[in-house]
Amino acid sequence: MNYTPVIGLEVHVELKTKSKMFCGCSADYFGKEPNTHTCPVCLGLPGALPVPNKKAIEWCVMIGLALNCTTPLFSKFDRKNYFYPDLPKGYQISQYDQPLCINGFITLSNGKKIRIRRVHMEEDTGKLTHVGNESLIDFNRSGVPLVEIVTEPDFESSIEVVEYLKKLQQIVRFLGVSNADMEKGDMRLEPNISLKMTNELPKYKVEVKNINSFRFVGKAIEYEIKRQTEILDRGDMPEQETRGWNDEKNITVSQRSKEEAHDYRYFPEPDLPPIRFTEDQISDIRNRIPELPDEKLARFQKEYQLNKSQAVILTETKEIADYFEKTVKPGKVDPIQIANYIINKKIDINKVSSEEVIAQVAGKTSGIIADEGELGKLVKEAIDENPKAVADFKSGKENALQVLIGAVMKKTAGKADAEKARKILTKLLKRGLFPAFKVR
Ligand code: ZN
Ligand code: MN
């Protein structure tokens, strides 16, 4: 039979605030000694009271606005009750019926809009590690601000899901509110998948929990589509359940029957007053939103006459976009040539300065100096004239090389072949042929 996949997505994004959501503990817990970033509040000790993190709430609203959401002026926190040892209070402070942001969307490259139902604020749990027969618990992550972004079941393929996730990751990174580093668990993915034959929504839903890579989310969805197709083809109905992804066997495995909202006995958090915004506060947050990837992409095409694929590459991260614009800004060379050069030469923006790129691109049209003998002479001069840079390089500061290349560039009015100059420089410096490089 032919079924249409119906896929929705819940994404948890950890914010990179300095402190946790409801206490003053440092939220910078990754790789730290277990249970060193804790206090009575995030350990759930009796009598401890939460104080909300203003920045986290503002950043959650900022994410919502960037995702085209409406942000109601009234919002509140609720308790989500469930028992698990990584949740010291026995409940998670989250948001139920009045989240900070509702009704947004992300547009995919084919023009399809994926509707976002809600963006809400909550706190992370502790982290369990199972070793043999023992379970270890680390509460450093307990109470770290977490934003949950929930879509409508608008996806029909794993390809759409992965594109959405990449865009979402890019947006939160452009906003500077999360590193969204999958490997560190900054972004955790929970797709829910079912199949339909008619236009009605299916009567069951299978959720796959806590996946931490785009590749695995794609594989888990593909696996579920296949598994559910087989069940439906037999004339059965897949169970409503929560499954886990096993990345060694590349399968999903049943974990528990899927809970309903009422299982959590949500009720308003009595320890926290509701949140009331003024219109001005919301527009203040809106004004702090930087240029987002889609806008940048459109502007790069219009302002610099780049084609779409060039613009896509040069707006992938804020860092590469800024680097490109910094290189274009002096107006010495054509932006399209700069774009081609950065893309084709796969320039490492952390190693090659934008001045070098300008010189290289300009050099192509105006007689670049690439003669080894001539370059060697200039490099030696640069070394003699810049003892400090040489000493810096010797003490391990790789950046010092940049200063020396800059000096060579200056001597040649930007016409030296920077790559060759770099090679000669490195060779000479490492040989220690020059007085300034001798051990004193
Ligand atoms: Zn704490
Ligand atoms: Mn959640």
Side-chain angles (χ1 to χ4, degrees), residues 12 80 92 94 120 122 148:
H12 285 92
K80 180 181 181 180
Q92 179 191 34
S94 181
H120 76 242
E122 57 185 38
E148 181 174 326

Side-chain angles (χ1 to χ4, degrees), residues 161-378:
V161 170
V162 173
E163 193 196 338
Y164 166 93
L165 286 170
K166 285 186 178 160
K167 288 202 103 166
L168 179 60
Q169 183 186 46
Q170 205 187 12
I171 289 167
V172 298
R173 284 179 174 167
F174 270 61
L175 292 175
V177 300
S178 172
N179 294 326
D181 188 338
M182 303 294 299
E183 263 123 63
K184 290 188 177 164
D186 296 340
M187 209 173 150
R188 306 195 284 270
L189 323 170
E190 290 165 19
N192 54 73
I193 306 126
S194 43
L195 300 178
K196 68 174 180 185
M197 246 186 316
T198 58
N199 268 335
E200 269 171 59
L201 279 183
K203 290 188 178 61
Y204 70 96
K205 192 155 93 175
V206 175
E207 183 167 279
V208 186
K209 276 284 182 197
N210 277 332
I211 303 178
N212 61 358
S213 106
F214 293 162
R215 202 160 55 88
F216 291 157
V217 86
K219 283 184 170 185
I221 290 168
E222 294 302 325
Y223 179 83
E224 273 305 306
I225 292 174
K226 195 167 151 271
R227 190 185 69 85
Q228 294 175 26
T229 300
E230 284 166 13
I231 295 171
L232 290 166
D233 280 348
R234 287 203 302 265
D236 291 338
M237 176 75 80
E239 244 168 273
Q240 167 106 355
E241 61 178 345
T242 297
R243 299 177 71 89
W245 173 246
N246 182 322
D247 58 17
E248 275 157 29
K249 296 186 183 153
N250 278 324
I251 58 169
T252 66
V253 282
S254 182
Q255 286 185 333
R256 57 171 195 257
S257 62
K258 174 139 180 55
E259 65 290 332
E260 307 271 346
H262 62 245
D263 295 329
Y264 290 119
R265 293 148 45 235
Y266 279 101
F267 65 86
E269 169 58 61
D271 289 340
L272 293 167
I275 305 157
R276 282 171 225 274
F277 286 105
T278 62
E279 298 279 3
D280 281 354
Q281 284 172 318
I282 299 283
S283 48
D284 270 355
I285 298 172
R286 192 187 291 279
N287 290 337
R288 295 208 303 262
I289 295 180
E291 185 177 41
L292 293 172
D294 278 352
E295 297 158 16
K296 221 182 251 302
L297 180 74
R299 182 169 65 80
F300 274 29
Q301 290 174 82
K302 195 161 168 262
E303 193 171 329
Y304 304 117
Q305 305 294 309
L306 303 184
N307 65 37
K308 177 126 186 229
S309 62
Q310 290 169 327
V312 165
I313 296 171
L314 295 175
T315 55
E316 199 176 314
T317 63
K318 203 174 160 298
E319 290 71 28
I320 189 142
D322 289 349
Y323 181 86
F324 171 72
E325 294 210 278
K326 191 175 162 219
T327 313
V328 167
K329 206 171 174 206
K332 289 190 186 145
V333 265
D334 177 31
I336 297 175
Q337 281 185 311
I338 292 175
N340 282 331
Y341 187 83
I342 294 174
I343 294 167
N344 298 339
K345 298 258 170 176
K346 297 195 172 66
I347 294 301
D348 180 343
I349 62 170
N350 297 311
K351 291 213 178 109
V352 183
S353 72
S354 54
E355 289 77 17
E356 262 178 73
V357 172
I358 294 170
Q360 290 293 310
V361 176
K364 281 201 178 123
T365 45
S366 61
I368 195 159
I369 302 166
D371 180 75
E372 298 239 349
E374 195 173 341
L375 273 180
K377 212 179 105 225
L378 292 164

